[in-house]
């Protein structure tokens, strides 16, 4: 509801700039339908743990703004990866490529889709800042805490870009170690999905440095477990549930922790298969089978269980079981 209300407020501005911009607003709003809302949920958890009121309307709007940050990252991620679908529907660059062809427009359809995806992702990132700052400044309860909360939001944006770049650079290398792949996991996902949203919510409620540190003890292992689960689903998940084709990461040649574990524990023949087949459409089944038969899938599942245990112990130490216990399970024991 908060996202739709915000977009409705943007429509007069966009309509005044040109008739084609209405469909851009429609696409943005449609894109955020059906998401897991994990970042706003973790932001709410941080707020509640720090003593915030669950029904504070200004906070709800501020937390919801993190969905625009997530949407921006996904639109750009799909473009960089050449992904055809997202949440069971065409990715933004494919949607606008198809619109170009359907309307019989001049020029390059693929280039139009690419350009639109870049611009829409940028617009969503701008909307995150605008919606967050507007909600906080409009609330007497939240406004005094805008500086620390904004600092965490700014860190979140910088860290996810850094993590994305580490991921891009990783794909240019013949292989990554498990430690190198885990660094990508930490910055591309763990901090961005769990740690910084928790910090933002807690900061808006006036959290102490000690509480912020305690939230990090929970967030980092939990966020890493979340991304490892995402990697497993990307290879072995059911496309009808995940909304993404199974094996996309393998087709794209991503050096995930699953792949790094496989390279670490397989034999020379397995490493040769990885070298020759990873990043090819024809090699998806062979690489998927190697990940499972080598024991890498089991090893990553064990990593997830270990990280879950660390997060669980930190939740217990902070006395946040009621608020964070169910959310932690949602993040790591999921099918999409």
């Amino acid at each position: 509801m908060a996202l739709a209300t915000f977009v409705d407020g943007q429509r007069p501005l966009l309509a005044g700039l040109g008739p084609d911009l209405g469909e851009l607003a429609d696409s943005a709003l449609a894109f955020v339908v059906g998401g897991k809302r994990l970042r706003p949920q973790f932001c709410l958890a941080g707020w509640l743990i720090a003593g915030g009121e669950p029904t504070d309307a200004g906070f709800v709007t501020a937390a919801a703004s993190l969905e625009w940050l997530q949407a921006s990252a996904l639109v750009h991620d799909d473009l960089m990866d050449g992904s055809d679908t997202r949440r069971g529907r065409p990715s933004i660059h494919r949607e606008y490529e198809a619109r170009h062809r359907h309307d019989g427009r001049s020029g390059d359809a693929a280039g139009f889709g690419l350009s639109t995806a870049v611009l829409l992702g940028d617009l969503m990132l701008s909307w995150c800042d605008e919606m967050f700052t507007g909600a906080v400044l409009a609330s007497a309860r939240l406004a005094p805490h805008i500086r620390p909360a904004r600092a965490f939001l700014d860190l979140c944006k910088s860290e996810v870009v850094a993590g994305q770049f580490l991921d891009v650079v990783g794909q240019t290398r013949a292989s990554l170690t498990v430690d190198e792949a885990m660094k990508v996991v930490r910055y591309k996902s763990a901090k961005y999905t769990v740690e910084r949203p928790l910090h933002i919510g807690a900061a808006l409620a006036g959290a102490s440095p000690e509480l912020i540190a305690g939230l990090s003890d929970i967030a980092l292992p939990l966020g890493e477990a979340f991304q490892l689960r995402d990697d497993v689903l990307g290879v072995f998940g059911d496309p009808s549930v995940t909304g993404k084709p199974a094996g996309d990461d393998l087709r794209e040649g991503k050096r995930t922790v699953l792949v790094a574990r496989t390279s670490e524990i397989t034999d020379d023949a397995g490493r040769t298969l990885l070298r020759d087949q990873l990043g090819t459409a024809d090699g998806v089944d062979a690489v998927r089978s190697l990940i499972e038969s080598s024991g890498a899938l089991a090893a990553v599942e064990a990593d997830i269980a270990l990280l879950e245990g660390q997060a669980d112990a930190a939740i217990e130490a902070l006395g946040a079981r009621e608020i964070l216990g169910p959310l932690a399970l949602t993040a790591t024991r999921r099918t999409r």
Side-chain angles (χ1 to χ4, degrees):
M1 180 65 76
L3 296 170
T5 299
F6 178 82
V7 173
D8 286 344
Q10 296 293 309
R11 288 186 190 279
L13 169 65
L14 295 174
L17 298 177
D20 294 325
L21 287 162
E23 41 176 65
L24 205 62
D26 292 339
S27 293
L29 189 56
F31 191 81
V32 294
V33 171
K36 292 183 280 293
R37 305 287 192 256
L38 281 175
R39 288 150 198 87
Q41 288 186 69
F42 278 113
C43 190
L44 174 61
W47 164 260
L48 294 176
I49 290 167
E53 291 292 329
T55 57
D56 189 297
F59 173 79
V60 170
T61 301
S65 72
L66 298 182
E67 280 296 293
W68 293 125
L69 175 58
Q70 165 70 348
S72 170
L74 291 180
V75 168
H76 286 163
D77 198 44
D78 286 345
L79 179 61
M80 290 187 290
D81 292 344
S83 297
D84 294 330
T85 60
R86 170 67 63 178
R87 295 170 180 162
R89 54 173 289 166
S91 50
I92 291 294
H93 63 284
R94 295 299 186 213
E95 175 188 342
Y96 277 86
E97 179 181 341
R99 288 189 186 200
H100 184 287
R101 291 197 175 98
H102 180 269
D103 295 343
R105 300 185 183 188
S106 300
D108 176 37
F112 177 72
L114 183 155
S115 298
T116 303
V118 170
L119 293 170
L120 184 56
D122 288 349
L123 181 63
M124 290 168 162
L125 183 60
S126 175
W127 281 358
C128 172
D129 279 340
E130 184 177 346
M131 185 172 171
F132 181 86
T133 302
V136 173
L137 289 179
S139 166
R141 171 74 174 85
L142 303 178
H145 306 296
I146 190 169
R147 293 183 72 179
R150 280 285 333 192
F152 285 128
L153 178 58
D154 291 341
L155 273 173
C156 184
K157 291 183 291 183
S158 295
E159 287 165 349
V160 72
V161 171
Q164 287 277 27
F165 185 67
L166 289 173
D167 192 21
V168 169
V169 169
Q171 310 323 307
T172 68
R173 297 177 180 165
S175 64
L176 290 182
T177 66
V178 171
D179 285 346
E180 288 170 332
M182 283 300 297
K183 187 174 184 181
V184 174
V185 165
R186 173 164 287 204
Y187 285 95
K188 183 179 177 181
S189 188
K191 285 178 169 288
Y192 157 69
T193 302
V194 184
E195 185 185 34
R196 296 314 182 194
L198 279 171
H199 286 172
I200 291 165
L204 286 173
S208 68
E210 293 76 19
L211 178 54
I212 295 292
L215 291 172
S216 289
D217 290 341
I218 297 166
L220 292 176
L222 183 57
E224 289 171 2
F226 166 84
Q227 184 57 45
L228 292 183
R229 175 59 62 213
D230 208 56
D231 290 347
V232 169
L233 290 173
V235 177
F236 296 98
D238 180 349
S240 68
V241 178
T242 64
K244 296 275 286 181
D248 258 10
D249 286 354
L250 303 182
R251 268 184 288 273
E252 294 156 15
K254 291 208 166 189
R255 272 62 175 176
T256 62
V257 173
L258 265 178
V259 170
R261 281 278 183 220
T262 304
S263 181
E264 179 184 76
I265 65 181
T266 192
D267 55 16
D268 287 343
R271 280 184 278 274
T272 298
L273 187 153
L274 273 180
R275 184 194 66 206
D276 295 342
Q277 299 297 321
L278 184 66
T280 70
D282 293 339
V284 169
D285 288 342
V287 175
R288 183 190 287 119
S289 295
L290 177 64
I291 289 170
E292 192 164 14
S293 64
S294 67
L297 175 59
V300 170
E301 289 288 359
D303 290 339
I304 292 172
L306 178 64
L307 290 164
E308 282 181 325
Q310 292 172 358
D312 192 66
I315 289 171
E316 189 67 33
L318 197 64
R321 173 75 56 202
E322 184 176 350
I323 295 171
L324 274 175
L327 189 52
L329 293 177
T330 298
T332 59
R333 300 186 187 180
R334 56 195 172 91
T335 57
R336 70 180 183 97

